[in-house]
Amino acid sequence: MGYVATIGMFDGVHLGHQFVLHHVVETAREQGLQSMAITFDQTMPRDQVLTSLDAKRLLLSKTGIDRIEVLQFTDELRQMTAREFMQRVLKEQLDVEILLTGYDNRFGHNREEGFDEYVRYGKELGIEVRSLPPAPSNGMGMGEGPTISSSYIRRLLTEGHVGKASEGLGYPYTILGRVEHGEHVGTKLGFPTANLVPVDEKQLIPAAGAYAVKVRMENSVEWKHGMMNIGMRPTFDGHKRTLEVHIFRLSEDLYGQQLLVSFVERLREEQRFENVEALINQLQQDAVLAEQILNVED
């Protein structure tokens, strides 16, 4: 049985990707074929990613796609022309019969060729190439605004708009981190925190500030409420970015554990306080606001 396939980095597997993958699954059903998502084992070196490869596989699997093919981005693959890629990989290796492409999808080493060339090569090779329109913004959680894309969501996160980024993803933006020993500043302030080091050093961390978050501990399925601070701790003249999460009503030792932190809403920007008392007062206000937001979210 052949395949209906689409190609992409699928970073974040956001609503735009889900729109394309939905069409791939539906087309495969209509044609009596299998559905396939073709992606790659890496992104461009300069990019920070929304999802690790493992997380991307998991998200892709939830779309109903039959097969996920991860190609190694070797020098040989990188140097292939679009036609060579279609013949050697899509046709001969993967048995693709129908290729669905996003409205702006390009492949091949020079990326100068586009949909018309893909259609022509497809006719020569026995692959039907179809183009899909942009994913609609209205009715998909985004309201009026830019077309959903990984770069747009990255920009939202770097500006601290985690709620809007989650709308574009279709799920809350989440990071995985390991708890390591910090300087115990939070404990001294009455808000003990877990000092997190991201497991994937390439994953994008949202802008500095305080956030309402949900946290899932290792070997647990329960999401607990909390708040997280990302930044340099300017009140203490910090020189290194830290990720510190405070889980409400929790006192157990978390050192060495991996925590999933799901961002719900930004509470405020990072700021320097005149003294420790002012910082403690702000943290108390942050906790009250975070609880209100998280209770509504539930």
Side-chain angles (χ1 to χ4, degrees), residues 192 194 215 217 224-227 245-250 254 259:
V215 185
M217 297 183 293
K224 295 183 176 294
H225 291 182
M227 61 183 187
V245 60
H246 170 72
I247 303 174
F248 301 140
R249 295 171 293 281
L250 183 76
L254 298 175
L259 303 181

Side-chain angles (χ1 to χ4, degrees), residues 42-48 202:
Q42 68 181 65
T43 57
M44 296 297 289
R46 66 177 180 275
D47 286 343
Q48 289 185 296
K202 288 195 67 177

Side-chain angles (χ1 to χ4, degrees), residues 63-77:
T63 66
I65 210 84
D66 293 312
R67 177 177 172 182
I68 302 163
E69 184 68 28
V70 180
L71 301 177
Q72 292 186 333
F73 206 56
T74 61
D75 287 339
E76 180 184 10
L77 184 66

